[in-house]
Amino acid sequence: MAPHRSFFPVGGKRQEWCFAVEAMDNRRGKDRAMRRCPMLLLFLLLGWACASGTGTPSPGKNDSAVGIRPCPQNPRYWQYKGKPVMLIGGSREDNLFQIPDLEEHLDSLAGVGGNYIRNTMSSRDSANVWPFHRRADGKYDLDRLSDEYFRRFENLLRLTSSRDIIVQLELWDRFDFAREPWLENSYRPANNVNYTSEKSGLANEYPRHPGQNDNPFFRSVPENGNNELLLKYQRAQVDRMLEISLRYPNVLYTMDNETNGTPEWGAYWSDYIRRKAAEAGVDIFTTEMWDAWDLTSEEHRRTLDHPERYAFADISQNNHNTGQKHWDNLQWVRMYTAEKLRPLNQVKIYGADTGRYGTDRDGIERFWRGIIGGGASVRFHRPTSGLGLGESARACIRSARMFLAEFDIFSAVPDAESRLLSGRSDDEAYLTAVPGERYALYFPEGGSVRLDLRDAGGDFSVKWLDIRSSRWHDAPKVRGGGFAALDAPGNGHWAVVIR
């Protein structure tokens, strides 16, 4: 079937439109079955006006009416305090609750418009504490939880809640359970007074990469391993975490960091914490983060195919890809989830000159493709694999807020196949639009394209945003009824808003 685009009016004086892509291009290697599946029409309401906010909740009390949740009018995005919100962030560490200057770091993020962090419940860095009580002799007692560990955790939620910063938690990080970090871990048999290797089934060394899944710590649940001794302590740790986190409205829950373990593990913990939340009368939203860089892999479908369990998907591993492939993968997963819309989060934007997963330029490009491409969140990964909250990251976050103030991203739909652009080469420019009304493009390295305005009438204003300097540049208006030439003012990263 040849790919095509349809436009559907949704009525009212200001018509909102959406693309309905029924097929994807063979050249880009999309799933054949998905090319045959029709997409549901996205009903786009005027301005995506979600219910108005109801004020700031008191610290330590979770009012579900204002808590983070998929936006009812456009479930591809989040809503917080009753209003649609784009989650944008960057931070220098993954386990921010453990850093000593947390408040200053959060102020720096909020100061440039950031509202989103990642927090792994991890303890493997210097000066971190583990979740269980450490005795005077240096051994851990797993029958007692660490007051300091959970004090730090609640401090994080208190500070972020007061700043309207959303926290995406990760319950388990596999990197704490292998190689050197395992030697310090409180669950290691040699480090506690509660069990031996023989009783627990845990060895004292796991020298291989955690991706080898050598540690049976992640095979304790009834459906896989059923290690009741170990599970007792895992539950105690999670119960204490929930006792704190369920009181705060700004928390999302991810089961693991880039796991390639069994699906039963993540499913168990998602069901467990959702049940605990329901008993407390709190709505929460969970996902699993898989390791595969290919979003079409069977691993990711364990989340994508189970919206009843996982209310959002984290597609951060796509950020190992670059250029047109990075964009195409994002558009594929948007289409795959079209019959059950949900937010697609990207809590880790890889790419920094200091790391192994791309350059500074790659990181900035992935961040902006993630916004223009319809992602619900973008956050720069911590150094050295990402830009963290360094100068380039702060400039991008600031520019993103300037861009979103000018362009209503919540009612626009990405032009997945770049059908409205002519004279475009791969990776030259990316478009999201409400056709006939407003358009926004991202240029990774300057360039020139023509925008199809044949179905639009009247004049359109044009504003160019220099992303690196966070400065707007006005340009002459363009007229509808034909093709409008868009020439970036220079090389480098540019966004343009036409309306």
Side-chain angles (χ1 to χ4, degrees):
M1 180 185 295
H4 70 273
R5 179 192 71 247
S6 301
F7 300 115
F8 296 88
V10 185
K13 292 184 179 180
R14 295 176 58 204
Q15 289 182 324
E16 304 288 0
W17 302 78
C18 72
F19 299 122
V21 180
E22 293 182 358
M24 299 298 275
D25 193 333
N26 288 335
R27 175 178 58 84
R28 294 176 184 167
K30 300 300 185 290
D31 186 300
R32 183 174 302 275
M34 285 306 303
R35 291 201 301 271
R36 295 195 295 268
C37 292
M39 290 186 66
L40 296 183
L41 173 62
L42 305 181
F43 292 97
L44 303 174
L45 301 181
L46 178 62
W48 290 112
C50 298
S52 61
T54 56
T56 303
S58 301
K61 298 184 72 174
N62 185 353
D63 181 353
S64 287
V66 302
I68 187 72
R69 63 189 54 250
C71 183
Q73 282 72 35
N74 187 353
R76 289 198 187 277
Y77 290 96
W78 294 104
Q79 169 182 298
Y80 188 57
K81 294 186 176 179
K83 297 179 181 179
V85 61
M86 180 77 187
L87 305 185
I88 300 176
S91 50
R92 75 163 193 257
E93 285 289 355
D94 297 337
N95 57 342
L96 283 180
F97 79 117
Q98 300 264 22
I99 69 171
D101 57 341
L102 173 61
E103 188 163 7
E104 293 83 354
H105 195 58
L106 295 176
D107 284 341
S108 179
L109 173 63
V112 293
N115 65 346
Y116 180 50
I117 65 166
R118 175 189 184 213
N119 189 71
T120 62
M121 302 304 292
S122 170
S123 303
R124 66 181 180 273
D125 298 328
S126 176
N128 287 178
V129 292
W130 294 87
F132 294 97
H133 173 72
R134 194 168 195 177
R135 307 187 330 169
D137 62 4
K139 293 273 191 175
Y140 289 96
D141 181 356
L142 304 189
D143 288 322
R144 295 179 60 190
L145 292 162
S146 167
D147 291 338
E148 176 60 16
Y149 178 92
F150 290 103
R151 184 201 66 77
R152 294 182 184 188
F153 176 57
E154 181 152 22
N155 184 54
L156 171 80
L157 298 191
R158 179 179 59 83
L159 293 173
T160 52
S161 178
S162 68
R163 290 161 174 79
D164 290 338
I165 294 173
I166 305 303
V167 180
Q168 186 167 322
L169 287 182
E170 289 171 18
L171 275 67
W172 312 107
D173 189 340
R174 65 182 184 171
F175 289 93
D176 280 17
F177 296 89
R179 299 187 294 194
E180 288 78 10
W182 178 243
L183 302 181
E184 304 297 325
N185 197 312
S186 51
Y187 282 101
R188 181 178 180 246
N191 295 345
N192 66 62
V193 297
N194 304 92
Y195 51 63
T196 63
S197 289
E198 290 73 22
K199 289 180 63 177
S200 65
L202 303 178
N204 282 307
E205 293 186 11
Y206 292 107
R208 299 200 301 173
H209 188 279
Q212 300 298 319
N213 296 315
D214 292 334
N215 194 335
F217 180 88
F218 299 99
R219 295 186 291 278
S220 65
V221 300
E223 297 80 4
N224 183 229
N226 197 28
N227 187 333
E228 293 182 358
L229 172 63
L230 183 57
L231 188 58
K232 176 180 72 169
Y233 298 117
Q234 293 169 336
R235 283 173 170 165
Q237 178 182 336
V238 171
D239 286 349
R240 182 68 181 110
M241 182 196 79
L242 292 174
E243 183 181 330
I244 296 168
S245 66
L246 292 180
R247 301 201 302 266
Y248 289 85
N250 59 320
V251 183
L252 297 170
Y253 296 84
T254 307
M255 301 307 100
D256 292 274
N257 174 32
E258 56 189 45
T259 182
N260 55 4
T262 66
E264 292 83 5
W265 167 265
Y268 174 85
W269 288 111
S270 177
D271 293 347
Y272 183 84
I273 68 173
R274 288 188 304 118
R275 184 171 64 252
K276 291 283 187 178
E279 292 170 357
V282 176
D283 294 330
I284 67 166
F285 304 93
T286 70
T287 195
E288 180 64 287
M289 185 196 297
W290 300 102
D291 192 28
W293 297 6
D294 178 8
L295 295 182
T296 70
S297 72
E298 185 274 336
E299 278 189 1
H300 289 288
R301 298 192 193 208
R302 297 170 182 174
T303 296
L304 300 178
D305 291 348
H306 293 283
E308 77 286 352
R309 172 172 287 134
Y310 299 119
F312 70 104
D314 191 288
I315 58 170
S316 292
Q317 294 304 88
N318 184 45
N319 292 305
H320 288 289
N321 296 305
T322 59
Q324 190 70 46
K325 182 177 181 180
H326 178 254
W327 171 269
D328 289 345
N329 285 352
L330 174 55
Q331 300 314 305
W332 179 91
V333 77
R334 277 176 57 86
M335 188 173 75
Y336 191 87
T337 57
E339 294 188 6
K340 182 61 177 179
L341 303 182
R342 72 208 89 152
L344 303 175
N345 280 16
Q346 300 166 91
V347 78
K348 295 188 292 187
I349 301 290
Y350 296 98
D353 292 343
T354 55
R356 298 182 296 152
Y357 304 119
T359 63
D360 286 7
R361 167 166 288 281
D362 289 323
I364 295 170
E365 289 183 9
R366 291 160 176 161
F367 179 92
W368 280 91
R369 286 193 209 96
I371 294 174
I372 298 293
S377 77
V378 285
R379 170 197 160 268
F380 288 110
H381 193 31
R382 53 107 181 106
T384 57
S385 297
L387 293 172
L389 197 56
E391 181 179 350
S392 293
R394 292 197 302 272
C396 276
I397 296 169
R398 186 184 300 111
S399 291
R401 286 299 173 205
M402 293 170 63
F403 166 78
L404 293 171
E406 293 286 332
F407 186 82
D408 177 14
I409 197 75
F410 307 110
S411 60
V413 178
D415 186 4
E417 298 291 324
S418 299
R419 290 292 191 167
L420 292 181
L421 301 179
S422 61
R424 174 192 179 274
S425 59
D426 276 2
D427 196 37
E428 184 176 11
Y430 300 95
L431 168 69
T432 189
V434 179
E437 182 176 330
R438 56 189 181 274
Y439 306 79
L441 291 88
Y442 165 59
F443 289 79
E445 182 55 73
S448 177
V449 297
R450 295 202 309 158
L451 174 63
D452 186 351
L453 294 178
R454 288 177 295 176
D455 295 332
D459 291 336
F460 287 78
S461 65
V462 180
K463 294 183 69 173
W464 289 90
L465 177 61
D466 184 343
I467 289 169
R468 297 300 293 265
S469 67
S470 303
R471 294 180 60 187
W472 284 109
H473 299 260
D474 290 326
K477 292 182 178 180
V478 297
R479 179 169 290 278
F483 288 87
L486 298 174
D487 301 311
N491 295 327
H493 306 275
W494 291 90
V496 61
V497 173
I498 303 104
R499 63 184 186 182

